[in-house]
Amino acid sequence: MRVLTYAFLVFCLLSCKNGKKDNDPSPIPDSSRIMKLENPSSGNSQLPRLYSDGEELYFSWVTQKDSLDVLHYAIYRGNEWYNETEVASGSDWFTNWADFPNIAENNERILMSYLQKSDTATYTYDVKLKLYLPVAHVWTQDFILHNDGTKSEHGFVSIQPYAHNSFVVTWLDGRETVGKGHGGGSMTLRAAIVFEDGTIDYDTLLDDKVCD
């Protein structure tokens, strides 16, 4: 009798274990879905940034050639990288590991940012933009995101697609930190809309004191 009872318990335990395995809501992912992608950038590259529109990947990076910084991008489509392009270059950029170029896409329009020095002080630089226009197959001339004209810090850009082929852009803005006497004013957070033709409007103060 004890033997039968023991056998019955073992059978129940094994049945419960197998049932739990079959109904596990978190199965181990199929390793065949994980793909290793080749890096389209070359040596002496830095500041990588990835953006996905849900179907394709957009990858930007900066290479250094002597004293020249060069901004590149490429698109991952059909299991390969293509259209590797040099978008902008300069010898007066602000580049570091934390504050780097950004990229986003909206209905074949591509908006990219980088930081260009506006004065000799360490943290005086502007946010410059480049916009790809798919109808004309050209990039716009470099234009500045903000219109305050101060020699102060502008950076940490975030870009997201918005309505009617436009983009909403946010950034840290240091216009209040200069010309305010000892200690200066506060760093601010601002946003604006970049329209599909490259015009900028609705420059808005989101927070009047951040990073302080």
Side-chain angles (χ1 to χ4, degrees):
M1 185 66 179
R2 290 181 179 178
V3 174
L4 291 176
T5 301
Y6 176 76
F8 177 74
L9 291 174
V10 170
F11 173 79
C12 290
L13 290 173
L14 290 175
S15 298
C16 291
K17 182 178 180 181
N18 291 334
K20 183 178 180 180
K21 181 178 180 180
D22 293 339
N23 298 307
D24 187 354
S26 303
I28 299 175
D30 184 357
S31 61
S32 64
R33 298 178 183 177
I34 300 174
M35 298 175 57
K36 181 179 179 181
L37 304 182
E38 295 296 327
N39 189 338
S41 64
S42 57
N44 206 25
S45 298
Q46 60 178 327
L47 311 180
R49 184 75 174 187
L50 273 175
Y51 170 82
S52 174
D53 63 0
E55 297 181 357
E56 300 170 337
L57 282 177
Y58 294 79
F59 179 50
S60 68
W61 69 96
V62 173
T63 59
Q64 289 187 318
K65 300 177 181 178
D66 298 323
S67 62
L68 191 70
D69 290 304
V70 183
L71 178 62
H72 308 251
Y73 92 102
I75 303 174
Y76 188 78
R77 178 187 298 162
N79 297 326
E80 64 178 343
W81 292 103
Y82 86 103
N83 201 34
E84 191 276 316
T85 304
E86 292 187 6
V87 178
S89 62
S91 58
D92 56 352
W93 290 11
F94 179 82
T95 54
N96 70 13
W97 64 271
D99 200 352
F100 44 83
N102 211 313
I103 182 172
E105 182 270 349
N106 190 0
N107 196 22
E108 297 186 356
R109 291 157 181 82
I110 301 171
L111 184 64
M112 300 182 70
S113 70
Y114 65 92
L115 307 176
Q116 184 180 48
K117 294 286 294 181
S118 61
D119 202 3
T120 56
T122 302
Y123 297 106
T124 53
Y125 48 90
D126 295 327
V127 176
K128 300 296 285 289
L129 299 175
K130 296 278 287 190
L131 177 65
Y132 178 71
L133 305 175
V135 176
H137 302 288
V138 297
W139 289 88
T140 62
Q141 294 294 321
D142 307 43
F143 55 104
I144 300 179
L145 171 62
H146 42 89
N147 60 5
D148 56 287
T150 64
K151 306 299 183 183
S152 62
E153 182 178 359
H154 306 81
F156 292 94
V157 176
S158 179
I159 307 174
Q160 289 294 322
Y162 196 55
H164 307 295
N165 303 324
S166 66
F167 300 85
V168 60
V169 184
T170 62
W171 72 97
L172 290 184
D173 191 294
R175 67 183 67 182
E176 298 297 329
T177 64
V178 297
K180 299 291 181 177
H182 179 71
S186 300
M187 181 68 70
T188 62
L189 177 65
R190 305 188 71 91
I193 296 177
V194 179
F195 291 94
E196 61 178 324
D197 61 354
T199 58
I200 302 174
D201 205 349
Y202 302 103
D203 186 332
T204 304
L205 177 65
L206 300 180
D207 194 323
D208 63 1
K209 188 176 183 179
V210 293
C211 304
D212 287 278

